[in-house]
Amino acid sequence: QVQLVESGGGLVQPGGSLKLSCAASGFRLGNYAIGWFRQAPGMEREGIACMPGTNVGEYYADSLKGRFTISRDNGKNTVYLQMNNLKPEDTAVYYCAADAGLFSGSYYCNTRNLNYWGQGTQVTVSA
């Protein structure tokens, strides 16, 4: 059974950092495209950081460049999202997603192009 489980969310003060993890089971992440998405209350789910199966051609939402970094550890079958200098507007439920494919990172930052999803983890940035 294919499963993705996110962890690492929580409450953090503005300017702080968090590292989210997404553990995969039932398949090997190694050649899969992966993506991190987030959804704030009343807003659509948006792709924020995505990586194709080749690991070449990462994509980041313009508003996040320089603050967030996506990575993977194939040995641990886990994807990460390092988030630095967090702002209140980063408050949202964060989801990881994956699917087989070798298109560009930006292609996979579209919710329609990834079929395996985790359940989400809440990130709240507040003083």
Side-chain angles (χ1 to χ4, degrees), residues 72-93:
R72 73 168 95 206
D73 184 332
N74 291 338
K76 295 183 178 179
N77 217 31
T78 300
V79 176
Y80 302 100
L81 183 69
Q82 177 68 47
M83 306 186 295
N84 298 326
N85 190 21
L86 284 161
K87 305 175 181 181
E89 53 263 41
D90 294 319
T91 295
V93 178

Side-chain angles (χ1 to χ4, degrees), residues 7 10 21 32 35 61 63 65 79 112:
S7 61
S21 300
Y32 275 62
S63 61
K65 285 181 181 177
V79 176
R112 294 172 295 181

